[in-house]
Amino acid sequence: MSLHYPSVLLENAVNEFAKLPGIGRKTALRLVLHLLRQDVSQVEGFAQALVTLKQEVKYCRSCHNISDSEICGICADRSRDASTLCVVENIREVMAIESTSQFNGLYHVLGGVISPIDGIGPSDLQISSLEERVRQGEVKEVVLALSATMEGDTTNFYIFRKLHPYNVKVSIIARGVAVGDEIEYADEITLGRSILNRTPFDESYKLK
Amino acid sequence: MSLHYPSVLLENAVNEFAKLPGIGRKTALRLVLHLLRQDVSQVEGFAQALVTLKQEVKYCRSCHNISDSEICGICADRSRDASTLCVVENIREVMAIESTSQFNGLYHVLGGVISPIDGIGPSDLQISSLEERVRQGEVKEVVLALSATMEGDTTNFYIFRKLHPYNVKVSIIARGVAVGDEIEYADEITLGRSILNRTPFDESYKLK
């Protein structure tokens, strides 16, 4: 359905919203009309929050995560184990892993994965700075937590080779049947992985 | 999953996005991170388009549709039939009906429907200005095109009574089985309506 906008200002605002991923023109219109019903101050607050973020955002000098300061809260936290680095694609994975409360080391945010089809090579990612962190000698283990995709795997191998000269253990998060999933519906590669990587079971084992 | 934001600026921007209807916190984060990857000028353009719209938007003095000028393009168009008014809730219905190319009259945008539960009464809507347009005598037919909901029906009856003293025909858009729908899955009220309001059929009849 082609839409006839009664106002150029309206159309501009819809066009801007429709540039966002997963937002079609109809959703964009609904969001813009919602904002139109709010006070001017609320719309300005919305706009200002985005501009301020973009203008003032910092990236942690150490792990490259988004931060309000030179060194992010996680890297600055002395209670965390600086000998274990978890390598992730971006800040969303940091937040997801943090919310599990199962990891007490530090992170290294690559900013993506190697993807020749999208023109993203190793030099576009924070891989040499990872190598530099490892070279300094404090890191004992690097945990790879990238997407289980072709690109993620390529990146895993690349990092593994780069870190090979150093005395560092490289591990990868477990692939297996997700908690809550039924075995019969798991794909065969995942199921195969979960059998190969089976772990000892005792009475203390709980799915939580 | 509760999320730990590594940056207050980021959290503010996510909070603003998450206020929009249908946007949860995870989607909001995805959108904000997308904007973060754009140029400053693009983020500023996005913010500016919204603020400009809110500050400079006008509503047509005649039909109350969103407009860039005092009188909107539809009301100003002399080739349109000013004797037929289509009453709609808001601008989205104007755009939807315009895209059908089946209506050549003018519109009257109520700004909503009567909904006591949301505290919206007749005086919150553009009903008295509709009565005033009809009172001036040029309008011959008022087509009601409100939602087929309890609130839409209430509003239809209210408008019908308000316009009763005037010499104007009041009609309502057809309710029936939607094009592409299968009869067996239509609800009984819609199906009943479509039987009551059956229309003559001949060789020229086409679903388009």
Side-chain angles (χ1 to χ4, degrees):
Chain A
M1 184 168 88
S2 85
L3 292 173
H4 309 263
Y5 295 89
S7 153
V8 176
L9 296 175
L10 179 74
E11 188 166 6
N12 288 345
V14 170
N15 286 343
E16 290 292 338
F17 257 108
K19 287 180 192 167
L20 298 175
I23 306 280
R25 302 191 67 78
K26 283 194 139 185
T27 303
L29 178 61
R30 193 164 53 84
L31 297 177
V32 169
L33 292 178
H34 171 86
L35 281 174
L36 254 187
R37 284 193 297 271
Q38 312 304 310
D39 292 341
V40 173
S41 64
Q42 283 188 31
V43 176
E44 287 172 347
F46 178 86
Q48 196 54 53
L50 297 178
V51 172
T52 305
L53 171 67
K54 181 64 191 176
Q55 288 174 339
E56 300 185 9
V57 71
K58 292 187 183 69
Y59 293 90
C60 174
R61 219 168 43 193
S62 178
C63 73
H64 310 289
N65 193 9
I66 289 174
S67 171
D68 289 336
S69 46
E70 290 280 293
I71 296 291
C72 76
I74 294 174
C75 288
D77 183 349
R78 292 305 188 90
S79 73
R80 299 188 70 124
D81 172 15
S83 72
T84 311
L85 288 192
C86 183
V87 176
V88 294
E89 281 174 56
N90 63 48
I91 175 209
R92 280 195 283 173
E93 282 76 45
V94 174
M95 291 170 69
I97 294 172
E98 282 298 286
S99 69
T100 68
S101 305
Q102 300 291 335
F103 182 70
N104 194 40
L106 304 184
Y107 293 92
H108 191 87
V109 180
L110 291 184
V113 283
I114 297 170
S115 176
I117 215 165
D118 301 314
I120 302 174
S123 60
D124 299 312
L125 306 172
Q126 293 291 349
I127 292 181
S128 58
S129 63
L130 171 65
E131 195 180 340
E132 177 57 28
R133 285 178 87 178
V134 169
R135 205 183 56 76
Q136 287 172 3
E138 207 194 342
V139 178
K140 299 290 168 242
E141 180 178 359
V142 169
V143 184
L144 300 170
L146 303 179
S147 297
T149 59
M150 184 95 96
E151 290 78 14
D153 264 4
T154 305
T155 314
N156 285 332
F157 276 105
Y158 186 87
I159 291 174
F160 177 74
R161 292 205 184 158
K162 278 283 170 192
L163 299 185
H164 203 249
Y166 306 98
N167 180 28
V168 67
K169 181 176 156 193
V170 178
S171 60
I172 185 165
I173 58 167
R175 310 292 186 202
V177 180
V179 176
D181 269 11
E182 290 177 53
I183 303 289
E184 66 172 311
Y185 298 119
D187 69 280
E188 60 266 48
I189 298 176
T190 300
L191 191 55
R193 267 271 153 220
S194 75
I195 292 169
L196 282 175
N197 300 348
R198 60 194 179 275
T199 49
F201 180 90
D202 64 23
E203 286 164 347
S204 71
Y205 188 88
K206 270 186 199 144
L207 285 175
K208 58 175 177 184
Chain B
M1 182 169 89
S2 85
L3 292 174
H4 309 263
Y5 294 91
S7 152
V8 176
L9 296 175
L10 178 73
E11 189 167 5
N12 288 345
V14 170
N15 286 343
E16 289 292 338
F17 256 109
K19 287 180 191 166
L20 298 175
I23 306 281
R25 302 190 67 78
K26 282 194 139 183
T27 304
L29 178 60
R30 193 164 52 85
L31 297 177
V32 170
L33 291 177
H34 172 86
L35 282 175
L36 256 186
R37 283 194 297 270
Q38 312 305 310
D39 292 341
V40 174
S41 65
Q42 282 187 31
V43 176
E44 287 173 346
F46 179 86
Q48 197 54 52
L50 297 178
V51 171
T52 306
L53 171 66
K54 181 63 191 176
Q55 287 173 341
E56 298 184 11
V57 71
K58 292 187 184 67
Y59 293 91
C60 174
R61 219 167 44 192
S62 179
C63 74
H64 310 289
N65 194 9
I66 289 174
S67 171
D68 289 335
S69 47
E70 291 280 293
I71 296 290
C72 76
I74 295 174
C75 287
D77 182 350
R78 292 306 189 88
S79 74
R80 298 187 71 123
D81 171 16
S83 72
T84 310
L85 290 191
C86 183
V87 176
V88 293
E89 283 173 54
N90 62 48
I91 174 212
R92 279 197 282 174
E93 283 77 45
V94 173
M95 290 168 68
I97 294 172
E98 281 297 287
S99 69
T100 69
S101 305
Q102 298 292 333
F103 181 69
N104 194 41
L106 304 183
Y107 293 92
H108 191 86
V109 180
L110 290 185
V113 285
I114 297 171
S115 176
I117 214 164
D118 299 315
I120 302 173
S123 61
D124 299 311
L125 305 172
Q126 294 290 351
I127 292 180
S128 59
S129 63
L130 171 64
E131 197 181 338
E132 177 57 28
R133 285 178 87 177
V134 170
R135 204 183 58 75
Q136 287 172 3
E138 207 193 341
V139 178
K140 299 291 170 239
E141 180 178 0
V142 169
V143 183
L144 300 170
L146 304 179
S147 297
T149 59
M150 183 95 93
E151 290 79 13
D153 265 3
T154 305
T155 313
N156 285 333
F157 276 106
Y158 186 88
I159 292 174
F160 177 71
R161 290 203 186 160
K162 277 283 171 192
L163 299 185
H164 202 249
Y166 306 98
N167 181 27
V168 67
K169 181 177 159 192
V170 179
S171 59
I172 185 164
I173 58 167
R175 311 293 186 201
V177 180
V179 175
D181 270 10
E182 290 177 53
I183 303 290
E184 64 173 313
Y185 299 118
D187 69 280
E188 60 267 45
I189 298 176
T190 300
L191 192 54
R193 268 271 154 221
S194 76
I195 292 170
L196 281 174
N197 299 348
R198 58 194 181 275
T199 50
F201 179 91
D202 65 24
E203 287 164 346
S204 69
Y205 188 88
K206 270 186 201 143
L207 285 176
K208 60 175 176 184

